[in-house]
Amino acid sequence: MKIHETEIIQLMSSEKSREKGVRLMMDAYQSRLYWHIRRFVVDHDLAQDILQDTFIKAYQNFHQFKQESQLYTWLYRIATNESLQQLNKMKKMQKSDEDSTNHLQNLVADNVQPDADEIQVLLQKAINTLPEKQKLVFNMRYYDDLPYEEISQILDMSVGTLKTNYHYAKQKVEDFIKQNYTE
């Protein structure tokens, strides 16, 4: 049984049915939002925490949802903001990516042809070298296959700027992979 967005919005709008609406919203969007968040933070547990924070914020601030966009677009924006806030906290705490970079480098052995997992690790490593805006746009376009118009609403950027960011990000990822892929 597929739940329609309008049904979730109706349930969320009523105090009596809000909890049911939240459960349906979580069922409908948690997987897509999890993987969206996971591409930012990589760590499973942290992604789960951010996902939970996203749904809490959506619940607490549902009265601010103006229905000018689709519900999942609004949720993606919240998830994106939560992910960026977490990344900023990690930077402020001076957590470096050195440990994760070393771990990724150890996973990709010098003289071994990478399997699918190792190629995915190399791709993630390439994406992690991108500036934040390019990383956001690349993930949303490449993984989520979102149209530029939706990304524009989520990130509050012009479509032209998004296309430029995606083009540069894609080129940087390709260059990184060419330089670091050993057959």
Side-chain angles (χ1 to χ4, degrees):
M1 177 175 119
K2 185 171 180 173
I3 303 299
H4 293 285
E5 216 173 75
T6 52
E7 185 179 348
I8 294 171
I9 292 169
Q10 282 180 326
L11 291 168
M12 290 286 294
S13 297
S14 168
E15 192 67 39
K16 291 179 184 177
S17 60
R18 184 166 290 144
E19 284 188 35
K20 182 178 180 183
V22 168
R23 283 193 302 275
L24 291 176
M25 180 176 61
M26 290 172 69
D27 288 343
Y29 300 113
Q30 74 180 11
S31 179
R32 290 167 67 192
L33 289 172
Y34 168 81
W35 287 108
H36 172 68
I37 294 166
R38 180 79 185 262
R39 285 187 281 279
F40 287 109
V41 296
V42 182
D43 179 69
H44 167 72
D45 293 331
L46 186 55
Q48 289 283 38
D49 290 345
I50 294 170
L51 179 64
Q52 183 177 4
D53 291 344
T54 298
F55 284 123
I56 289 170
K57 285 239 167 114
Y59 176 81
Q60 292 173 337
N61 298 301
F62 191 76
H63 63 280
Q64 295 178 346
F65 176 58
K66 297 179 177 81
Q67 298 184 34
E68 295 171 355
S69 64
Q70 292 183 10
L71 180 59
Y72 80 84
T73 302
W74 184 68
L75 292 170
Y76 266 50
R77 186 172 203 152
I78 294 171
T80 300
N81 289 339
E82 289 295 307
S83 299
L84 291 174
Q85 285 178 354
Q86 182 61 41
L87 290 173
N88 286 335
K89 284 180 192 175
M90 289 166 56
K91 285 179 186 175
K92 286 179 184 174
M93 292 171 29
Q94 297 182 355
K95 278 203 169 218
S96 70
D97 285 340
E98 289 177 16
D99 291 338
S100 62
T101 302
N102 290 339
H103 178 68
L104 292 174
Q105 286 173 343
N106 291 337
L107 288 176
V108 180
D110 289 336
N111 297 322
V112 177
Q113 185 163 346
D115 61 18
D117 288 340
E118 291 172 325
I119 291 171
Q120 186 63 30
V121 167
L122 186 61
L123 175 60
Q124 283 303 313
K125 192 173 175 184
I127 292 169
N128 284 336
T129 66
L130 297 173
E132 284 303 319
K133 283 184 184 178
Q134 288 179 9
K135 187 186 300 185
L136 279 169
V137 174
F138 185 85
N139 282 331
M140 291 177 160
R141 185 80 177 138
Y142 181 80
Y143 286 110
D144 299 328
D145 201 26
L146 293 176
Y148 287 113
E149 292 74 22
E150 284 186 44
I151 299 172
S152 175
Q153 289 178 353
I154 293 168
L155 298 179
D156 197 26
M157 295 170 79
S158 74
V159 171
T161 301
L162 292 172
K163 287 181 178 180
T164 301
N165 275 299
Y166 182 73
H167 171 77
Y168 285 124
K170 191 171 89 169
Q171 190 61 52
K172 289 176 183 177
V173 167
E174 287 175 5
D175 291 346
F176 183 92
I177 289 172
K178 285 177 187 172
Q179 290 174 355
N180 293 285
Y181 180 72
T182 56
E183 294 188 80

